[in-house]
């Protein structure tokens, strides 16, 4: 059974850094592209980053310079680090498995709240 | 950033048919297809259809997906109360090298 479990969310002060993890199981993680997507409260889905099996990645322009994504294939984990967080980074952050070229199998998400 | 266009809301009666649309361009919908996602309040998105048009496991045949040119459509027949949700389309844009989402359509079943 495929599982994607995000963790690391919570209350973060503006200007600080956050690091989210997504632990995967039930599939050949090292072969799959993974995505991060976020959803601000009451808003739609917003693509954040894509990381390919070899670690190459592409990040949303509006987060460029603040966002790092990485993966640990032996440990089946994908990471997201966001620096200098702002209140508008408040969102549910989802990781999702790429099955046929898009985020298609989603975790439950981890909520990040940026506030002082 | 660029996105796909979906109507913000659609309302239909119980047991009626709803068709939701998603419009992009030749760099995404027209050439790469779309995935359709359903999201109930407080829940993560769930894929209904994969980009290649395959229905996800366990999804009712009341749901169907199609595409014509740069517009994709999701049709739901025999609407049920549980169909009330937000529906998102998603596509890969091979010019921008990013995943695009539509703004979502809130389906209300009256």
């Amino acid at each position: 059974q495929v599982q994607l479990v995000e963790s690391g969310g919570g209350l973060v002060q503006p200007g600080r850094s956050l690091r989210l993890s997504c632990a995967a199981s039930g599939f050949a993680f090292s072969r799959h592209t993974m995505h991060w997507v976020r959803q601000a409260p009451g808003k739609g889905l917003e693509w954040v980053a894509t990381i390919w099996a070899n670690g190459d990645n592409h990040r949303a322009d509006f987060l460029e310079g603040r966002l790092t994504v990485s993966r640990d294939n032996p440990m089946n984990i994908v990471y997201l680090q966001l620096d200098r967080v702002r209140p508008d980074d408040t969102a549910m952050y989802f990781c999702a498995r790429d099955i046929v070229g898009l985020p298609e199998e989603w975790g439950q998400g981890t909520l990040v709240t940026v506030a002082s | 950033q660029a996105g796909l266009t979906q109507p913000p809301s659609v309302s239909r009666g119980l047991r009626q048919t709803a068709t939701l649309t998603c419009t992009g361009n030749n760099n995404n919908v027209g050439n790469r297809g779309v995935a359709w996602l359903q999201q109930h309040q407080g829940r993560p998105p769930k894929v209904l259809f994969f980009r290649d048009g395959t229905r996800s496991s366990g999804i009712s045949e009341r749901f169907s997906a199609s595409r014509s040119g740069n517009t994709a459509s999701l049709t739901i027949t025999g609407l049920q109360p549980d169909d009330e949700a937000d529906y998102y389309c998603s596509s890969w844009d091979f010019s921008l090298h990013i995943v695009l989402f539509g703004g979502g359509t809130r389906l209300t079943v009256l």
Side-chain angles (χ1 to χ4, degrees), chain A residues 39 44 47 58 100 102 104 107, chain B residues 39 44 47 51 88 97-99:
Chain A
Q39 186 172 35
W47 174 77
H58 195 75
V100 194
L102 288 168
E104 285 147 335
Chain B
Q39 186 179 33
V47 66
R51 184 176 64 85
Y88 294 92
H97 302 287
I98 62 174
V99 175

Side-chain angles (χ1 to χ4, degrees), chain B residues 17-85:
Chain B
T17 295
T19 298
L20 313 181
T21 59
C22 170
T23 301
N25 59 41
N26 286 332
N27 293 327
N28 40 71
V29 174
N31 274 293
R32 307 293 287 196
V34 302
W36 284 98
L37 307 167
Q38 179 192 58
Q39 186 179 33
H40 285 107
Q41 184 72 24
R43 300 290 298 159
K46 178 176 73 173
V47 66
L48 300 175
F49 289 89
F50 297 99
R51 184 176 64 85
D52 63 359
T54 305
R55 184 184 290 108
S56 181
S57 175
I59 301 304
S60 168
E61 291 187 359
R62 296 188 297 107
F63 292 80
S64 62
S66 62
R67 181 168 60 92
S68 177
N70 295 331
T71 297
S73 299
L74 175 70
T75 299
I76 312 168
T77 60
L79 284 169
Q80 300 297 309
D82 190 55
D83 296 333
E84 191 162 283

